[in-house]
């Protein structure tokens, strides 16, 4: 692993950037102060909102942290399909007494303006989701002293990340909660994602840059497993979703371990792009009809999701969660980092004393 990254945080634990108000400065600060790498999510924020959160985070911790950016998306949505889905959701709008959002509210997520903020006010780490930034962007961040990572869901995507000049790649397994960071949204590939351990192995044999493993990791023993598979660090999202400092709605936190929600599923129902969440009423009723249209569907359903959250109705919310959600622990984020680090140390000790194959015979 590149010392440029390992020197930033003592424990190989990265808090995944979770957009939508979850990855607040208090969460990132607590993780970084405990020896992990805390992250802010720039997705769905304005450039000024991002600047203010960075400023707030710097006031909470002197430790390194990261910021995640969403890549702008190509225009490939079928307007007619979006209109049909909007018609289907009209009943939801009536139920929650709100209007549907405007699907044409913008598609680049303020990428250039946010990038300008990060170049004018450099942060230690920047990661990218939904594609690969240009070599020029990555080089400009490097000149600013920023370490760069890009999400990949296949070995081919990881190779594109390396060729562009990123410092490291985030291998996101299909187990991961929230949006899959595929570089191209291809509906024919829905449900064909690769499990994390297989993905880490494939990427390690394809690229020479460090790999950060993400997807379904909830325990220190699982961190040990991905490190043994060749990852340099582990990125955990759902594990930090339930922490005290997380900005997730209380009903979302509670749903992670609520027996009512027995499984997760990849769905386009809320955003038009594959994302893993707890299976609730909204997902069951609308998931099969949602078109491939991101961010149009995200904008369309935004008022519905906000209204459901205000009503504390878990059945209408986007309950993003990874496959390990039932293992979530309601702890302060700093304490969770300590527990994960202790579990990792125990797992490493157990592996070091485990008999070799010839001693088992």
């Amino acid at each position: 692993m590149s010392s440029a990254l390992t020197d930033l945080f003592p424990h190989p634990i990265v808090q995944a950037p979770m957009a939508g108000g979850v990855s607040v400065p208090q969460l990132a600060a607590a993780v970084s102060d405990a020896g992990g790498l805390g992250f802010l999510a720039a997705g769905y924020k304005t450039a000024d909102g991002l600047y203010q959160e960075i400023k707030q985070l710097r006031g909470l911790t002197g430790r390194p942290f990261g910021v995640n950016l969403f890549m702008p998306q190509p225009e490939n949505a079928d307007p007619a399909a979006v209109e049909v889905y909007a018609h289907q959701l009209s009943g939801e709008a009536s139920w929650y007494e709100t209007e549907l959002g405007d699907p044409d509210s913008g598609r680049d997520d303020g990428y250039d303006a946010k990038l300008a903020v990060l170049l004018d006010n450099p942060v230690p780490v920047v990661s990218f989701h939904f594609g690969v930034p240009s070599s020029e962007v990555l080089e400009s961040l490097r000149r600013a002293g920023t370490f760069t990572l890009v999400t990949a869901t296949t070995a081919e995507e990881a190779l594109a990340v390396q060729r562009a000049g990123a410092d490291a790649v985030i291998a996101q397994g299909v187990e991961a909660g929230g949006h899959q960071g595929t570089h191209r949204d291809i509906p024919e590939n829905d449900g064909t994602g690769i499990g994390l351990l297989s993905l880490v192995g494939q990427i390690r044999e394809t690229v020479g840059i460090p790999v950060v493993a993400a997807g379904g990791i909830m325990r220190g023993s699982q961190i040990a497993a991905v490190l043994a598979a060749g990852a340099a660090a582990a990125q955990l999202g759902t594990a930090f979703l339930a922490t005290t400092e997380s900005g997730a709605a209380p009903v979302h936190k509670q749903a992670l371990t609520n027996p009512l929600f027995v499984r997760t599923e990849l769905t386009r129902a809320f955003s038009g792009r594959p994302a893993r969440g707890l299976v609730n009423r909204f997902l069951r009723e609308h998931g099969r009809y949602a078109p491939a249209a991101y961010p149009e569907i995200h904008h369309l359903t935004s008022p519905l999701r906000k209204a459901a959250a205000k009503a504390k109705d878990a059945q209408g919310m986007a309950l993003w969660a990874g496959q390990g959600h039932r293992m979530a622990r309601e702890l302060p984020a700093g304490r969770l980092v300590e527990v994960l680090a202790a579990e990792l140390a125990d797992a490493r000790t157990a592996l070091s004393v485990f008999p070799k194959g010839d001693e088992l015979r």
Side-chain angles (χ1 to χ4, degrees), residues 35 40 52 70 78 81 158 164 196 209 214 221 265 288 310 326 349:
L40 292 175
Q52 295 300 329
F70 285 169
D78 179 356
L196 181 57
I209 56 178
S221 58
E265 188 175 297
R288 73 186 69 178
K310 184 177 181 180
R326 298 299 294 274
T349 299

Side-chain angles (χ1 to χ4, degrees), residues 3-11 32 35-37 63-65 124-125 147:
S3 61
L5 185 60
T6 51
D7 289 348
L8 294 177
F9 50 106
H11 302 307
S32 291
L37 182 67
R63 298 287 305 161
F65 61 90
V125 180
F147 191 95

Side-chain angles (χ1 to χ4, degrees), residues 224-358:
V226 295
L227 296 182
Q235 180 172 279
L236 294 75
T238 305
F240 286 103
L241 192 78
T243 59
T244 307
E245 295 87 348
S246 161
V251 67
H252 190 171
K253 294 182 180 183
Q254 295 159 8
L256 296 175
T257 54
N258 186 334
L260 183 65
F261 301 100
V262 298
R263 64 186 179 89
T264 63
E265 188 175 297
L266 285 169
T267 183
R268 295 178 180 271
F270 297 100
S271 72
R273 225 179 190 278
R276 184 174 297 282
L278 299 174
V279 176
N280 60 4
R281 177 196 60 78
F282 193 102
L283 193 157
R284 285 192 300 269
E285 292 183 0
H286 304 294
R288 73 186 69 178
Y289 305 110
Y294 178 88
E296 287 85 354
I297 302 304
H298 163 76
H299 295 314
L300 187 72
T301 66
S302 179
L304 299 178
R305 291 179 276 119
K306 291 177 180 177
K310 184 177 181 180
K312 300 181 181 179
D313 180 8
Q315 296 298 335
M317 298 169 59
L319 301 174
W320 303 137
Q323 288 183 340
H325 65 95
R326 298 299 294 274
M327 302 166 71
R329 297 178 280 203
E330 296 183 12
L331 296 171
R335 177 58 183 156
L336 178 57
V337 172
E338 294 171 356
V339 170
L340 290 167
E343 291 173 345
L344 171 59
D346 289 344
R348 282 173 157 168
T349 299
L351 287 172
S352 68
V353 300
F354 196 83
K356 293 185 174 62
D358 56 351

Side-chain angles (χ1 to χ4, degrees), residues 185-226:
D185 185 11
I186 305 174
E188 291 79 8
N189 292 346
D190 284 4
T192 62
I194 305 171
L196 181 57
L197 286 178
S198 295
L199 181 61
V200 169
Q202 292 176 25
I203 290 179
R204 284 281 288 134
E205 293 188 2
T206 303
V207 302
I209 56 178
V211 178
V212 176
I217 302 172
M218 304 293 289
R219 296 287 186 266
S221 58
Q222 293 171 300
I223 297 174
V226 295

